[in-house]
Amino acid sequence: MNGPLLTKIDKYIAKKFIVSFFISLLVIITIVIVFDISEKITKFVEYKAPLKEIIVDYYLNFIPYFINMFSPLFVFITVIFFTSKMAANSEIIAILSGGISYKRMMVPYMLSATVIAIFSLALNIYVIPRANATRVDFESKYVRSHITFKRSNIHYQIAPGQFVFVENFSDWNKTAYRFSLEEIKDGKLTSKISADRAVWDSTMAGWHLENYFIRQYGEGIYDRVSVGVRKDTIIPLTLVDFYRNEKTVETLSMEDLNTLVRTQKMRGDSNVIYAQIERNNRFALPFSAFILTIIGVSLSSQKRRGGIGWNIALGIALAFSYILFMRFSQMFVFTGMLPPFIALWIPNVLFSVIAVILYKLAPK
């Protein structure tokens, strides 16, 4: 007769894991919020941020963002802490002496890591994008409202055969300077619209072209040319396209993020790397729960002469090195050395190798 799927020991370990994880979250988040308030209080006062918006729009939406960013650290510290304590109390020795193999002892750890990974993935896909939209909007109004936005030499393919070039764009007056729109068919330039300025009009969701010049290229030697002071036009280029960066992609749902990647690839927009990094991060980060759990158990399941202090210090160092490596791997994308998928998964691959080695050595 088969025994229960989960034994009392499994439930004991899983409970310690999950409870310790969320307690560490609560403690560290409280500390971080206190420091964040002390850092931003002058901005809140200067820009007269309402107390309700500070609490509801910013900090309640800051919490899931922070949990997601440092979840590898929380997982690792949790595993190191309570496993080291179990080892110090000879509980690990008692479990292994009772006929339970080291591999079987890992089952409740991996089940708990699965719960945390699913929790992190759900935050990444469903909660954090909406929370970030509110948080980023709050920051733009009350924290970074003094910053102006300007871009130069923008070249987009906004649709098949349609290319836009803007010499300068400024958010101060929502104006694109030295604007041109070219249409190419079968490798030939068929028309070109040039304007000194293109001013965005939100009411019509289009652009006012000022001092424009239009040239339609004919089949023969004759072209059609028209000039004017002002012309309204609607093209598949909106104001939002000029603001896409590492902050705005954090506010998009997975569906919108995938659409943005396809659109920016078609346009040849260099900002596509922000969307690609964000998309890969949303899946790579939750996976770290499994890797760091294995490393944490392997390092802390033996009783050490120095107590749990050494294990905690080593755990924090490794967790921070993982987070830093995740950030550093993005540089491979920005420099064009590696595609986003490979670059963002390199830390997981490397630390997986470390996890396997430590796991093999731990029972010995």
Side-chain angles (χ1 to χ4, degrees), residues 217-331:
Y217 294 89
E219 293 293 334
I221 61 173
Y222 297 104
D223 299 334
R224 295 173 57 186
V225 176
S226 60
V227 297
V229 176
R230 181 184 174 96
K231 181 180 178 63
D232 296 338
T233 182
I234 297 177
I235 58 176
L237 180 73
T238 66
L239 198 64
V240 177
D241 293 313
F242 291 99
Y243 291 88
R244 297 295 189 195
N245 55 34
E246 69 274 19
K247 287 294 181 183
T248 56
V249 296
E250 294 175 356
T251 68
L252 300 178
S253 65
M254 284 304 303
E255 182 180 356
D256 292 338
L257 196 59
N258 290 329
T259 300
L260 178 62
V261 170
R262 290 193 297 269
T263 301
Q264 290 185 323
K265 279 185 175 180
M266 182 270 294
R267 291 177 173 178
D269 188 351
S270 61
N271 283 334
V272 69
I273 60 176
Y274 295 122
Q276 290 175 319
I277 288 173
E278 175 66 19
R279 184 172 63 178
N280 283 283
N281 260 336
R282 291 186 184 183
F283 293 95
L285 207 59
F287 189 77
S288 67
F290 301 106
I291 301 170
L292 298 180
T293 294
I294 295 173
I295 295 176
V297 176
S298 301
L299 288 175
S300 59
S301 56
Q302 296 181 9
K303 183 185 293 188
R304 297 185 184 275
R305 185 175 299 176
I308 67 175
W310 168 251
N311 287 339
I312 293 176
L314 183 62
I316 292 175
L318 280 173
F320 270 114
S321 67
Y322 175 82
I323 295 172
L324 288 175
F325 196 8
M326 284 288 289
R327 296 293 176 181
F328 180 75
S329 66
Q330 296 180 12
M331 297 304 299

Side-chain angles (χ1 to χ4, degrees), residues 148-154 166-178 198-200 207 237-243:
T148 57
F149 187 90
K150 189 174 182 179
R151 293 191 59 201
S152 303
N153 298 322
I154 303 159
V166 174
E167 185 173 302
N168 286 294
F169 172 80
S170 176
D171 68 336
W172 180 74
N173 53 4
K174 307 299 184 288
T175 300
Y177 295 94
R178 300 294 186 270
V199 183
W200 175 253
W207 300 88
L237 180 73
T238 66
L239 198 64
V240 177
D241 293 313
F242 291 99
Y243 291 88

Side-chain angles (χ1 to χ4, degrees), residues 31 53 100 147 221:
I31 296 172
E53 291 187 31
I100 297 176
I147 296 177
I221 61 173

